[in-house]
Every structure is written in C-alpha cells, then in structure tokens.
Amino acid sequence: SDILDHPLTEAPTIPGWKKIAAGKVREIFIPENAAGIKSADKLLLVATDRISAYDFVLDTPIPGKGAVLTQLSRWWFDQLSGVVATHNLDEDVPTEVAGRAMVTRRLEMYPVECVARGYLTGSGLTEYEDHGSVCGIPLPPGLVEASKLSEPIFTPAIKAELGEHDENVSADRIAQLHGRAVAKNLTDLTLLIYRKAAEIAAERGIILADTKFEFGAEPGMAVRGENVADGAKSFILADEVITPDSSRFWPADKWVEGKVTPSFDKQFVRDWLTSPASGWDRRGETKPPALPAEVVARTSERYLEAYRILTGKSLV
Ligand code: ATP
Ligand code: MG
C-alpha cells in the first residue's frame, strides 16, 4: 500500500493549508487564509513517519508509523466520545496526507503535560526511589520497576526550557500556576480517561502503563481561578491520544514486577542502537546512525500490530 511503500520524513505542501510548526514527529498546519495560529479556527495535525529515540530524531523513517499514530488517536477519540469533549472534527483530510492527518478544533492549550500512571517506571520510578513519592504523591515503600500502583496517579509535568526535559510537578503547583479549577479538572479528567482506556486495553491483553494527555479550551473559554462555567468548552481533550508515542504499552503476558518491560514499539530500535552493531555511543554527542532494514521492518510491524491488537482491525 501507499502508506507502507512511501514513508514520509517531512510533510508535503498541502493546498489550502500552511505549515506553522513542526515537532519531532508531527507537523501542524492552519487554514491558508488564517493570519496566524490565534486566528485559526482549525488545525491539520500531520503525523510523519519520523521516530525518535534517546532524544534524537532518527534519519530513518518507519513505514506506517504516522498512519498508526493518527488512526489510533482517532479510534481512541471515538472510544472516549461519551467520556470527554475532544478536539477531533472528524473531517476528511487532504489526499496529500491521507491516512496520517486529522482536522481538529484550534484550542487554547493548558501548558500542562497531564500524565497518568498505573504502573511505576521511567521518571516516576526515579522520583520514587529518590523521594518515596511521585509529583508530591506519597507511595508505599517496597515498590520496584513496573510495580502496579494500587490506584492510578496524576503526575503532571510542565515544559522545561528548550533542550531540557519536562519537569515533574505536583497538582498543587498546577493550582498555583493556573488556578484550582484547572488543577482539579485536569486531575479528574486525566484519571477518568486513563481508567477507561486502561480497561479497554486490558481487555485486549495490553497494559497501559502510563500515558500523557493535553487539554485545551475553546478560544476565550480557558479557565483561571475557581469556577468553570461550561466544562465541555473549557476542558477539551486535544493533541494525540494513547499512542505508542504518548504512552507505554506493555504486552500483559510479558509483564513481570521488578523487570523492565520492553516497550511495545521502540524495543528493536533501542536494542540495536545500544548494541555494538550500531557503533553508536549513547553518552556521546553524535546522533545515531541510520537503522538497518531489518530493524525498520520489525519496528514497522510492531506499530501495525499495536493498532491491530487495540482496534481489532488491520490498518492496511
Ligand atoms: P514533541 O515533538 O516533543 O512532542 P511538540 O509538542 O512541540 O514537540 P507536537 O507534539 O508535534 O510537537 O506539536 C503539537 C503541538 O500542538 C503541541 O504544542 C500541542 O500542545 C499542540 N496542540 C495539540 N492539539 C491542539 C489543538 N487542538 N489546538 C491547539 N494546539 C494543539
Ligand atoms: Mg508534543
């Protein structure tokens, strides 16, 4: 299929739209006639096939990855439609980016990475080992890598300076920065959506170990202070949702408390990059080398598999 035969490293020109930003993986377009992002009513979010590992964007694209990120997000937005308002406008996308793009409402974003964790790993585990708590939430002693938490926790982060890692903060800090109503709504929605999604994933043999959401408000409806007039306009689920790039998916049958569970998607990439075969030094300054065809093929298959397992449908 076209999606697999022509991996995309950079979004093409798209008639009617202009590019205003590019992240590590995705590129953002606004309608051509909009003066700037603040005057745009909608966005076109395009997922390329770029992959990042160890904070580098690799030179080698992964066929099918962008399509999986987009189609999986769309599928989750459908699953969550009764749970929270979402930014998905469910419109057809330009043929140039068919299958890999989504038209969304343009929102005023709350600058908070809303992370939910049901299991302890990564930066959450590091913080627990140092402080016995994560983002100000005390946890019982004796937890280890991949321990299941008795209840999922809200562990927000705020964007650090360019080039720095996001900073984990407490929900109280979010309240100081953005008001109590914002902190409470982001907390409650994040945990509500996480629980629902984790249940759906569990039915399919996947552990949703953790995931990150971003929320926005209709222009002019962003909340500050104590009161929320209309939640459905002030707290809207945005960005990508519950994809391998925003979440840790673990195969339930591979999970062992105390052991690092290989991430579903990037396992082969990370294994190869850190093996002698790559000749790359993770602690050095140089960027990683191009990936061999076999690593690309296996990684591509993993993304497609994640989509198949979760949605029950084949992408191509
Ligand atoms: P990274 O590659 O590290 O994720 P990034 O976050 O800058 O970098 P993207 O995730 O590709 O790059 O960019 C998506 C941007 O669009 C984010 O800043 C996100 O907050 C924003 N965004 C997502 N949905 C909406 C929306 N509906 N309205 C306005 N902004 C949105
Ligand atoms: Mg992002």
Side-chain angles (χ1 to χ4, degrees):
S1 81
D2 208 47
I3 281 278
L4 293 184
D5 290 343
H6 301 285
L8 189 76
T9 4
E10 204 192 333
T13 22
I14 306 172
W17 297 86
K18 65 182 171 199
K19 190 190 293 189
I20 52 145
K24 286 196 277 294
V25 171
R26 288 173 305 151
E27 304 190 5
I28 306 167
F29 292 73
I30 58 175
E32 204 162 52
N33 56 6
I37 182 147
K38 292 228 158 63
S39 56
D41 59 341
K42 42 175 89 166
L43 302 180
L44 181 68
L45 294 180
V46 179
T48 69
D49 295 317
R50 296 194 291 262
I51 187 169
S52 66
Y54 302 109
D55 282 338
F56 288 95
V57 177
L58 306 186
D59 284 339
T60 324
I62 303 298
K65 178 175 183 279
V68 165
L69 296 184
T70 296
Q71 298 305 324
L72 195 53
S73 275
R74 293 189 76 143
W75 183 80
W76 280 116
F77 281 129
D78 282 347
Q79 304 298 305
L80 297 168
S81 62
V83 177
V84 62
T86 86
H87 73 160
N88 182 17
L89 284 173
D90 234 342
E91 288 180 11
D92 288 340
V93 302
T95 53
E96 290 80 0
V97 287
R100 60 167 73 254
M102 185 159 70
V103 181
T104 74
R105 300 195 254 174
R106 197 275 300 176
L107 305 174
E108 286 172 6
M109 300 299 289
Y110 297 101
V112 181
E113 311 266 315
C114 295
V115 178
R117 298 173 194 269
Y119 292 75
L120 203 56
T121 187
S123 72
L125 177 64
T126 308
E127 212 182 308
Y128 169 78
E129 287 170 345
D130 292 347
H131 301 106
S133 61
V134 184
C135 296
I137 302 165
L139 294 174
L143 300 179
V144 293
E145 168 70 53
S147 285
K148 184 177 200 288
L149 302 173
S150 60
E151 293 291 329
I153 55 175
F154 175 61
T155 60
I158 52 181
K159 279 234 190 308
E161 298 292 302
L162 203 70
E164 297 294 308
H165 283 285
D166 293 346
E167 182 193 354
N168 283 1
V169 296
S170 65
D172 282 345
R173 179 75 188 133
I174 300 299
Q176 283 171 2
L177 291 168
H178 303 292
R180 292 233 306 266
V182 167
K184 175 162 180 23
N185 278 275
L186 295 185
T187 305
D188 292 353
L189 279 172
T190 297
L191 292 174
L192 179 72
I193 301 165
Y194 172 81
R195 280 179 209 276
K196 171 83 179 165
E199 190 183 297
I200 292 173
E203 287 164 5
R204 291 147 170 87
I206 301 278
I207 292 173
L208 179 61
D210 52 35
T211 194
K212 185 221 37 171
F213 302 121
E214 292 185 31
F215 296 89
E218 279 186 10
M221 295 299 290
V223 172
R224 264 222 66 96
E226 307 280 320
N227 298 312
V228 180
D230 186 345
K233 291 183 177 167
S234 296
F235 295 98
I236 299 169
L237 183 60
D239 209 54
E240 62 176 341
V241 281
I242 321 173
T243 70
D245 279 10
S246 68
S247 325
R248 286 187 174 91
F249 295 146
W250 294 340
D253 59 358
K254 297 269 160 55
W255 171 70
V256 182
E257 187 170 22
K259 269 187 51 185
V260 175
T261 314
S263 92
F264 202 89
D265 53 324
K266 290 181 186 170
Q267 181 197 352
F268 301 124
V269 172
R270 289 164 155 267
D271 287 354
W272 182 78
L273 283 177
T274 52
S275 76
S278 77
W280 181 65
D281 176 11
R282 195 184 151 185
R283 273 153 285 272
E285 301 277 275
T286 56
K287 66 177 203 173
L291 301 173
E294 160 156 333
V295 174
V296 173
R298 293 175 78 184
T299 303
S300 173
E301 179 43 43
R302 289 296 263 176
Y303 275 89
L304 296 170
E305 192 187 357
Y307 180 85
R308 271 197 311 271
I309 293 175
L310 284 167
T311 69
K313 296 175 296 192
S314 181
L315 188 75
V316 285

